[in-house]
Amino acid sequence: MKFLLLAALLAAPAVAAEKTVELAQGYRAMSMPFPTHQLRFVEPGDRIDILTTFEAVFGEKKERSKEDVTATIMQNVRVLAVDRKDGIVQLEFNPNEAQYAALFAAKDKTLWLIKRGAGDKEMRPMEMASARKLFR
């Protein structure tokens, strides 16, 4: 019985996907959880941005305030595989990007996967979004 369980575990793919894309040399494949509704239209080979929302502290000591902000933490990330059933996406990161992705995933924050348009690989300067900035 132990042998059958071990064989089943070894035979199971890390990310169950219909289609996968080959990992580029020097990059790392990292599987990350996302809410399944975000994966509906994402396919291997697509490019995405990753956003996260967290509580930030603004101001000096006497006038500090906390506010939820949303920030783009990764841009132009290539999707390698998609497991819609379990809400897992395998993404391609350089080693430095993989560390930051793990940092934000470990913080138990909601991550947002934003699909880019076909051919859009441009890196853009981004500022954090907050309600305070929106309603100035």
Side-chain angles (χ1 to χ4, degrees), residues 47-62:
R47 298 276 177 169
I48 63 158
D49 293 346
I50 302 173
L51 284 65
T52 189
T53 299
F54 59 95
E55 187 176 72
V57 178
F58 294 98
E60 299 299 321
K61 287 184 180 181
K62 293 181 180 180

Side-chain angles (χ1 to χ4, degrees), residues 80-102:
L80 298 174
V82 180
D83 179 353
R84 287 180 183 78
K85 180 182 173 218
D86 294 324
I88 304 294
V89 179
Q90 192 172 63
L91 301 170
E92 180 180 70
F93 294 113
N94 68 39
N96 193 45
E97 292 169 336
Q99 291 181 137
Y100 284 106

Side-chain angles (χ1 to χ4, degrees), residues 74-128:
M74 298 287 163
Q75 293 186 50
N76 196 32
V77 177
R78 191 166 67 125
V79 175
L80 298 174
V82 180
D83 179 353
R84 287 180 183 78
K85 180 182 173 218
D86 294 324
I88 304 294
V89 179
Q90 192 172 63
L91 301 170
E92 180 180 70
F93 294 113
N94 68 39
N96 193 45
E97 292 169 336
Q99 291 181 137
Y100 284 106
L103 172 70
F104 280 94
K107 293 289 186 181
D108 198 28
K109 300 289 183 192
T110 298
L111 297 174
W112 296 94
L113 179 150
I114 310 299
K115 183 176 175 176
R116 288 177 159 242
D120 180 5
K121 295 182 180 181
E122 185 178 339
M123 303 293 277
R124 294 176 176 83
M126 303 292 295
E127 66 176 39
M128 288 190 286

